[in-house]
Every structure is written in structure tokens, then in C-alpha cells.
Amino acid sequence: MLKKFPYYSQRDQMDCGPTCLRMISKYYGRNYSLERLREITGINRAGVSLLGISEAAEKIGFRTTGLKINLEDLSAIELPCLLHWRQNHFVVLYKIGSTKIHKRKKYIVADPAKGIIEYTEDEFRRHWISTKQGETEQGISLMISPSPEFYRQQGDVDKGIDLSYLFSYLKQYKSLIVQLFIGLGVGSLLQLILPFLTQSLVDIGVNTRNLNFVYVIVIAQTMLFLGRLSVDFIRSWILLHISTRINISILTDFLIKLMKLPMGFFDTKMTGDIMQRMSDQSRIQAFLTGSSLNTIFSLFNLVVFAFVLIYYNVSIFIIFAISSVIYGLWVMFFLKKRRELDFKRFDISSQNQNNIVQLINGMQEIKLNNCEQQKRWEWERIQVSLFNFSVKSLALGQYQQFGTFFINEGKNILITFIVTKSVIDGQLTLGAMMAIQYIIGQLNSPIEQLLGFLQSFQDAKISLERLNEIHELEEEEPTEKQFLRDLPMNKGISLQNIKFTYPGAGNEPVLEDINIHIPEGKTTAIVGMSGSGKTTILKLLLRFYEPQKGDIKVGSTYLQQISYRFWRAKCGIVMQDGFIFSDTIAKNIAVGDEYPDISKLGHAIKIANISDFIGELPLGLNTKIGAAGNGLSQGQRQRMLIARAVYKNPEYIFFDEATNSLDANNEKIIMENLETFFKGKTVVVVAHRLSTVKNADNIIVLDKGRVIEQGTHQQLTHNKGEYYELVKNQLELDV
């Protein structure tokens, strides 16, 4: 009954909205990739709103209506529909039915975090109802129905998961893998001799009481044992070598891809999601180097010992084969549930990663605001979820283990009875019985490994889906596109009719109809109230984002035509939230150089006025700072960031409140030093302080994302407009 409803699991914590829309689209016969739906829903780090889902649904041809209705009216609307669940999640309601016995209502819900679940009316009400006013209980629903336009659209081709490239990681280790297979083959042959030696030991050595023959057999078995042990040792070392290399290769490729993604990507991904994906690669590595190779070895053993068993007794082989098939079907029965639990594990582990990062990074604020208990409770709630997940995983494992143990041991007992009876009836010798028991033991292991391979394959495939999601994203500089790596003669920057809105449905434009010229070799200051769009302009110039409307030009060249890396190499940047690495002072200033230039370091330190601070440290420039070393004050941190920008000696300089944490003396010295450094460079300064902007060649005043004034400090103060109001307290003038 439940299988006819399409279901997809959400890949990340915030993917429930796009995933629900994907399920409804599939229900009506169209497949859309999660990546495309994420883009059109305007998803961000906080997830997606009902408005975002509604707008996205209409873009792909649905009609939508948002409703706040009661439970009785919900039964009358067209299904499937989307529901706001527990006030922080989205699910799809596929069907409202009734049970056969008690005629009570049941609700079939597709929860992208849990699966397709059947709820009773009380359970459903508890999750869906969001407002209660007297007797009236209401929840939020989004009706979604296809229009003719929906069927005119083609949707996306479901690419599926290509596992072939995974095995490309093994190609470069051909010689080691050949050695491994030789070792596996030798090990199998050595094992193959053992049952015949066992039979000879009993049938000839024991029955004839020939002690010399027993000595020979025991010596042979000892040599075989030592041979197998040596082969296993060598195989383990080869596997360690291959697995370590592959592990590093997979993770390196992931990091390379991650570093090529646009900056906007990191605004929509939780830290825990990315970290959990990096942990997932270990399952792929384990599959490639452990499960795959061991399974090939097991298959070889399975085939060889199966023929040996047939040689001894066909009926016992048939019993073994039938029970092994039943064993396999029992394990495969649990694969779907394991997949659902794995997505749940990823979601909870990701939340746990996020929470731990937040606790560690925010410990100072936690203690300052006396919210230790609340934050600890948040962490404990996640641990409860982890415990509940562990209970479900254990229960599933125990159900599976019970069945496999019952089938496996039942088979072994039955075979033991048959071979014992055959010995009593004179159909088998005692040595043959012991040989068969040994063969059955050798066959049991490959069967278990094969079924373990299925589970390992499933884990690797799920992990690959998550990694593949990152690998399929478009890079900042796609290889098929050509980018310029030269600047035009005129290096002035122009922003023409710029409009920009941050991702998220219903967000107001941050910038609208912006027309600004930033002349080459001049200093341009941008001022305005908080939230007026000053930092956003810098982020557009640094290509964190692309404007939704309008153009940014460097001379006559469009900024989007210039290579990202080349452009940023020409820019020196000090952002409000600039990052200090856990490294030496020298390497924090010269972040792009493996071996810092001492003369350039000295020049940068002088201009940023941090020589006194560095001189007081016992290790000087080699002193560790950041999370792994000495803490810095906000003022010292800003001076480090200024020194970093100066060391780069760029053609363009972008400062975002670069001196707001400095004391008056340091600010005065640094600004005087920077005036000399700024000569001949194109500078854009975002600031509130008058001392930072008053000497600018042009001051641009923003208000609510629009330019309202421009001019020099003298012109704007004389006009007594918005700029004058912003700085009058700093000017200490009478109004």
C-alpha cells in the first residue's frame, strides 16, 4: 500500500522543503534534481520558507495555495499536499484513510527525515497543529496541484550514481593488487589441501595406527599453517598501504572540489553537514580496499570449496546452497530499513557536529550570558536522539542476527546430523566426515563475507550519493569556460543598475538601482547606517555573489569575464570577520607564501603598526597565534589583517570597518601609514568613523540599499544632508 508513494530522503538538515517538492513532482510524473529545487526554493543556512517552496512549485508548473485549516477541512483538500510539521519541518501528506477494524482515521505521511509513516489521528494532530484558539485547532498546509505547464516541462534526467570512477582509485595500484591476488590465490590453495590432509590423518594415520604417517601429516599441516600466516601478514601490509593512499586521495579530491566551489555555497551549508561528508569517505575507502578485495577472495574460496563439497556429497551441498539463499534473502530484507536509518544517522551526527563546534567556539559567550544550562540541555537533547537512533540500530541488528543465527546454526546442525548418520551407515568414513565439517566451516565464511559486502556496498553507495552531490556542483571557474587573466588599461570599477537580494524567498532587496563609479588610483569611501548594503557591495566586488540585475565592470571589461583567482590575487581585503589561522604570525601575514619574504613582512608590520606587539613576544614572528596559540585582542587582530593586505601589495584594496576596533593613537598612526601605501592604488573603504573616511576622494552615502549622496567630506558636510547627520556627533558641531 505504501510503496506506490514516491519517497526521497533529505540529504542535509535543511533539505526537507526541496525534498518534499521533489516527492510531489515525482508523484505527478516528473523528476527534478534536488540541486535544482534547492536553487529555485532560495534555500539558505536557515533552510527554506513555505513561501520559497510555493514560489519554486509555481516555477515548475504547479498551482499552490497556502492554508491555515483545521483537521476536518484537511480531509477535503486535494492530496498530496505539503504540511508544516512540528513548526520546524516539512512533510508530504499522501493519503487520509481509515482502519478496517475501528474505522479510525489514519494519515500516510512521507517525512524526508524518517520515511513513509502511518499516523493515528491523535499522533497526526500532535505533530501538525500549530495554533489553538479555544476549540479551534489549526495547522499550516500548502495545496499543490499540477497545471498544464507542469506537464509541458521535461524535468531533469535522473543520472543515478556512477560507481565506476570509484574503482579508478584502484588503477594506480595495479602491481600491488596483482601481488595481493597472488597472495589470495596461494592462501586459497593452501586451505584447499587441508581437508584432504585431515581425511588422510584419520582414515590412514589413525585407522592403521601409523604414527610416522601422522608425523608427516602434522608437519605438513604446520607448514601450511605457517605459509597461510605469512601470506596473511603480507596481505595485511599491502592492504594497509593501498587503503591509506586511497583514503588520502578521496579526501584530497573532495577538498579540492570544495575549495573550487563559489563562496555562496558555504552560506547555505551547515558546518556539520560538510564535516560529516568528510567522515563518510572512510566508508568508501573501506568498501574499495576491504569489502571488494576480500569478497573476490571469498568468491574464489566459495567456488573451490563448493566443488570439493560436491565431490564428497551432493545432497549436503544442496542443503547448504538452499540455506545460504534463505540466509541471503533474510539479510537483504533489512537493507531498505538500514538505508533509512543511515540517513537518520547522518542527520543526527551532523547536528551533533554543529552543536559541538558551536559549544567550543561560543564558550566565551555562553559563560558571559550564563546560558551554560540551556546550551548543555540542547546538547543532551541531541544525545537523546543519538541514543534513540542507537536503540533502533541495535534492534534492527538483533532482528537480523536472530534470523541469520537461526538459519546458519540450523543448517550446521542438520548437516552434522546427516554426515554423522552417513558415517554410522557406512556411506562415509570418519575422515571424510571431518573433512566435510572443515569444508562447511570454510564455506560459511565466504557467505557471511558476501552478505557483509552487500551491506558495505549499500553504505558506500549512500556515502557516494552525499559526496557526489558536492562533486556535481558547478565550480567557480568551470573548465569549459574561458576567463581573462589580464586587467584592462583603465582599471576603474563601475557598478551599473545593480540589484541584489540574498537567497531566501520573501527577502527584501539589499541593493537596488546602484550606480557607482570607483576611479582608478583613488580612495572611495562608502558610509551609511547598519544594514544599508555597504558590506554587500564589497562582497559583490569580491565576487562572493553575482548580482541579480545589472553589471560590474573593470574599465570596459565585465567583472564576470575575469578569472576569480586572478581578480582576488589583485585585491587586498580586510573584512569585519577576517579569519586568523592557527599558525605563526609570519605565516598569518604571508598567507599565500610558503616561505614569507622578510622585507615584505617588515614593511607590512611597519604600516600596520604591530612591531611593538611582535617585539614583546619571545619567538617574535614565529609565535603561534589563533586557536592553537596566543589569543589576540580585537585591535591586534585587525592590525594583523591590515598587515596581511599590505604584504600582498595589491592593485585594489577593500577595507570593511578595518579600524573600528583600534584605539585613537593606533588608528591615527595606521591611517597616516596607509595614506602613503594607498598612493596609486584603487581603494574602497567601508566605515563609520569620520577619521577613516574624511580624506577619501569620494564618499558615497547609502540608505536602505540606495545611493542618496556623493561627494567629498567638505561638500557633504556643507550640504548638511544624511552624511552630516551620520558624522555630526563625531564632528562635535552644534545642530
Side-chain angles (χ1 to χ4, degrees), residues 285-479:
Q285 171 255 320
F287 168 72
L288 286 177
T289 58
S291 300
S292 300
L293 297 175
N294 284 334
T295 301
I296 293 169
F297 172 59
S298 297
L299 278 172
F300 183 76
N301 275 1
L302 184 65
V303 172
V304 169
F305 280 104
F307 279 112
V308 175
L309 184 60
I310 291 170
Y311 167 76
Y312 273 105
N313 194 302
V314 175
S315 59
I316 291 174
F317 171 76
I318 292 170
I319 293 169
F320 178 85
I322 292 171
S323 62
S324 295
V325 170
I326 296 169
Y327 182 94
L329 292 172
W330 176 258
V331 171
M332 292 176 70
F333 175 75
F334 289 89
L335 288 180
K336 183 179 178 183
K337 188 63 180 175
R338 283 186 80 252
R339 179 182 172 86
E340 291 172 8
L341 281 176
D342 192 86
F343 278 103
K344 185 67 177 172
R345 175 199 64 82
F346 180 87
D347 185 36
I348 299 171
S349 298
S350 176
Q351 288 179 37
N352 194 39
Q353 292 266 28
N354 272 329
N355 192 265
I356 290 169
V357 170
Q358 181 177 269
L359 280 175
I360 294 168
N361 292 342
M363 191 58 71
Q364 183 175 316
E365 286 298 315
I366 290 170
K367 293 182 76 64
L368 287 173
N369 290 284
N370 293 331
C371 59
E372 293 95 334
Q373 190 177 56
Q374 290 89 336
K375 293 300 177 185
R376 178 170 57 80
W377 284 350
E378 283 180 20
W379 178 82
E380 286 176 354
R381 280 192 286 271
I382 294 173
Q383 302 318 301
V384 169
S385 299
L386 279 170
F387 173 76
N388 291 336
F389 165 77
S390 299
V391 168
K392 289 179 182 177
S393 296
L394 178 63
L396 183 73
Q398 286 180 330
Y399 292 143
Q400 183 175 313
Q401 187 181 20
F402 173 79
T404 54
F405 183 80
F406 181 81
I407 295 166
N408 205 33
E409 292 305 311
K411 169 199 70 183
N412 291 339
I413 292 168
L414 179 61
I415 289 173
T416 301
F417 170 76
I418 291 171
V419 294
T420 305
K421 186 175 183 298
S422 298
V423 171
I424 294 169
D425 293 342
Q427 296 171 349
L428 282 176
T429 65
L430 184 61
M433 172 186 166
M434 293 183 69
I436 288 172
Q437 293 286 29
Y438 176 83
I439 292 165
I440 294 296
Q442 292 300 311
L443 284 171
N444 280 336
S445 179
I447 292 293
E448 288 175 7
Q449 284 188 329
L450 275 171
L451 297 171
F453 169 79
L454 282 177
Q455 295 178 342
S456 181
F457 173 76
Q458 184 188 41
D459 291 342
K461 188 180 177 187
I462 294 167
S463 296
L464 182 61
E465 286 175 11
R466 298 190 187 113
L467 291 180
N468 214 41
E469 181 193 347
I470 302 296
H471 283 291
E472 286 182 353
L473 293 173
E474 187 174 1
E475 297 173 1
E476 270 191 333
E477 295 189 19
T479 51

Side-chain angles (χ1 to χ4, degrees), residues 1 28 41 62 85 152 290 355 382 540 624 710 728 734:
M1 182 72 175
Y28 287 112
T41 51
F62 283 112
W85 202 244
R152 282 195 288 269
N355 192 265
I382 294 173
L540 291 178
K624 280 255 187 181
Q710 284 193 67
K728 68 181 180 181
D734 294 327

Side-chain angles (χ1 to χ4, degrees), residues 156 236 291:
D156 299 329
S236 298
S291 300

Side-chain angles (χ1 to χ4, degrees), residues 495 502 511 516 518 524 526 533-545 552 559 567 571-576 653-658 683-687 702:
L495 286 81
Y502 281 103
L511 299 173
I516 294 174
I518 300 167
T524 302
I526 304 175
K534 307 183 298 297
T535 299
T536 302
I537 288 178
L538 284 193
K539 287 186 174 181
L540 291 178
L541 291 174
L542 292 167
R543 304 186 73 181
F544 279 46
Y545 313 102
I552 301 174
L559 183 59
W567 173 246
C571 299
I573 306 121
V574 179
M575 302 297 287
Q576 290 184 52
I653 297 173
F654 301 101
F655 279 8
D656 185 11
E657 299 289 0
V683 182
V684 179
V685 177
V686 167
L702 290 182

Side-chain angles (χ1 to χ4, degrees), residues 24 36 135 164 212 229 236 333 358 365 479 483 600 602 629 643 702:
I24 294 173
R36 182 176 174 188
E135 296 294 319
S164 60
N212 289 329
L229 193 64
S236 298
F333 175 75
Q358 181 177 269
E365 286 298 315
T479 51
F483 290 92
K600 286 172 68 177
L702 290 182

Side-chain angles (χ1 to χ4, degrees), residues 563-575:
S563 161
Y564 285 81
R565 287 181 60 81
F566 175 78
W567 173 246
R568 289 174 189 149
K570 298 293 181 182
C571 299
I573 306 121
V574 179
M575 302 297 287

